[in-house]
Amino acid sequence: MPLNTIPNKGLTSRGYSSDRIVTPLIINGDMSVAQRSTSASSVSSSGYHALDRFRFGFTDTDQLVATISQDTDVPSGQGFSNSMKFLVTTVETALDADDALQIQYRMEGQNLQNLKYGTSNAESLTLSFWVKSSVTGTYALTFKNSDDGGTKLNVNTYSISSANTWEKKIITISGDTATNIDNTNENKLEVLWALSAGSNYKGTSSSGWTSYSASKLFNGQTADIATTSSANFYLTGVQLEVGEFDSTTIPSFPFESFESNLRKCQRYYENLTANGSLNIGHAYNTTQARTYFQYRTKKRAAPTITLATAGNGDGEISFLTKGGAYVGTIGTHTALNVAIDRFNISVNSGTYSSTGWVAGDAVFFYVNGNNYVVWEADAEL
Amino acid sequence: MISTVEKKYDDMLSSSFIYKVTFSDNKLMFVPHNEENRHYQEILEWVANGGTIVDNGE
């Protein structure tokens, strides 16, 4: 039985003919979760900036700056509340051969074994999404299988024919009977929406699954968001279905509760926002203390930890005395023993102060102010 | 882009360490020694391109 399939008679309203619920392969396709920020301005480098799970790739761009945000502009009557908006705020003056701009959605290989890639039973996939842009033209849409034995591509195109108008796009690809998807928790299958592509990424046409070549990656792309002043690109309703579907047979969008969507996103990223005293730690000598945090959701892999700045200013973190006062030297904070389910924050003040700790003291871990992000745990692909 | 990487040891458990990574925009991250972590993969790439991890010992 496919891993993303659960038998359940009576819950087949999405349009599948069989008795099953299909767990969405795309998380946050309705753009409802934006843990990092609902609006990230001055973005000029690759990374996860606003909407969870949707990454932006800035490849060798020089001047390009954008705002990426969660927006309420959505296709009418489809049930969506949010979209992801990319807005050019500083234009790329010229699209060099090595420049590219793309949206990336990355999936773990272990969640895709039901596709049966590398066998004669490899399943087709159908990607459906709603898109709207101020820039008309042809856009490349590429699937990338990062198999340990060699990367494969499946390059497609779609057109945006009317500026500033929501359009639904459906793209079907065949299964790859030649190359499997590695069964790991790493990025093994990626969907790439090209927004701009320099000449290095075009020029070689391909059909179906093909070995990686940079000149194939975004072949066919003519639209150019990066060099267009104030250009925008909206995306929502991203769904990936196992099987071949068209505009009349595509199952309805797999809406989930916000809580379910959030919990799935937190496998890859979560943060802690707090007010004032937020945890208890212990001092193990006069200059050192530590505390312990457990994530709400186990991570895909040991995550990268980012801490708020140490200090006593707004939004800054520190360990207080057992009486709740600042110590003489707040010290340097370090995240340690980072695992998929928890980590420590340790401080070394370096200098004993009479207003400091005694070994064995229980101490407050504190953030000065309300609603500041204390830490982020990032296990994204 | 990575600027510096320093190996930081746990005072209470010396076999445990983490990479303190400073990026060119002054952002600071603590990155575990784990090949499934994409920032650790960036460190490996940075080292392959000539970067040196500061290791002041335990």
Side-chain angles (χ1 to χ4, degrees), chain A residues 83-153:
Chain A
S83 62
M84 179 169 68
K85 178 183 181 183
F86 181 90
L87 174 66
V88 174
T89 54
T90 301
V91 76
E92 185 80 1
T93 54
L95 194 67
D96 299 331
D98 59 356
D99 289 351
L101 175 65
Q102 61 197 289
I103 300 170
Q104 303 162 316
Y105 188 91
R106 295 173 170 177
M107 290 170 272
E108 294 179 54
Q110 65 183 353
N111 292 338
L112 301 167
Q113 296 307 301
N114 56 319
L115 301 183
K116 302 184 279 286
Y117 273 35
T119 78
S120 57
N121 295 323
E123 300 271 10
S124 299
L125 285 169
T126 300
L127 180 75
S128 173
F129 56 94
W130 286 88
V131 65
K132 167 178 157 174
S133 177
S134 60
V135 178
T136 58
T138 302
Y139 289 76
L141 185 292
T142 299
F143 289 80
K144 181 179 175 186
N145 177 2
S146 299
D147 182 72
D148 287 345
T151 300
K152 302 280 290 285
L153 301 174

Side-chain angles (χ1 to χ4, degrees), chain A residues 235-280:
Chain A
L235 183 67
T236 195
V238 181
Q239 68 185 102
L240 184 60
E241 304 288 349
V242 179
E244 295 186 11
F245 300 96
D246 59 26
S247 60
T248 59
T249 61
I250 188 84
S252 59
F253 183 84
F255 286 105
E256 296 184 271
S257 68
F258 180 83
E259 182 268 343
S260 172
N261 215 358
L262 174 63
R263 190 156 29 84
K264 289 179 180 179
C265 291
Q266 287 179 334
R267 173 171 169 79
Y268 303 94
Y269 172 91
E270 72 173 90
N271 59 30
L272 178 68
T273 303
N275 306 339
S277 297
L278 61 107
N279 207 357
I280 297 295

Side-chain angles (χ1 to χ4, degrees), chain A residues 41-83:
Chain A
S41 58
S42 304
V43 176
S44 61
S45 60
S46 299
Y48 293 88
H49 296 290
L51 279 301
D52 280 58
R53 307 270 29 246
F54 285 83
R55 186 178 194 271
F56 277 81
F58 288 64
T59 307
D60 291 318
T61 52
D62 301 305
Q63 300 86 23
L64 180 64
V65 181
T67 295
I68 300 166
S69 59
Q70 184 184 46
D71 205 274
T72 55
D73 188 340
V74 293
S76 177
Q78 302 301 318
F80 300 109
S81 298
N82 297 108
S83 62

Side-chain angles (χ1 to χ4, degrees), chain A residues 48 55 106 185-186 282 284 288 290 300-307 332-338 348 376 378-381, chain B residues 1 8-13 16-20 23 25 27-42:
Chain A
Y48 293 88
R55 186 178 194 271
R106 295 173 170 177
N185 62 349
E186 297 172 285
H282 75 281
Y284 54 98
Q288 293 173 295
R290 69 174 49 191
R300 176 192 64 83
T304 296
I305 303 294
T306 305
L307 301 177
T332 303
H333 293 60
T334 304
L336 287 168
N337 303 310
V338 177
N348 187 339
E376 299 173 89
D378 184 340
E380 268 292 0
L381 292 163
Chain B
M1 187 181 299
K8 300 285 287 184
Y9 293 89
D10 184 348
D11 296 325
M12 297 181 75
L13 186 66
S16 176
F17 63 88
I18 200 156
Y19 298 102
K20 182 179 178 180
F23 290 83
D25 60 1
K27 189 159 189 176
L28 183 66
M29 292 180 174
F30 296 96
V31 179
H33 185 91
N34 183 323
E35 293 190 0
E36 295 166 350
N37 180 297
R38 75 182 197 282
H39 296 113
Y40 179 68
Q41 292 168 3
E42 283 184 38

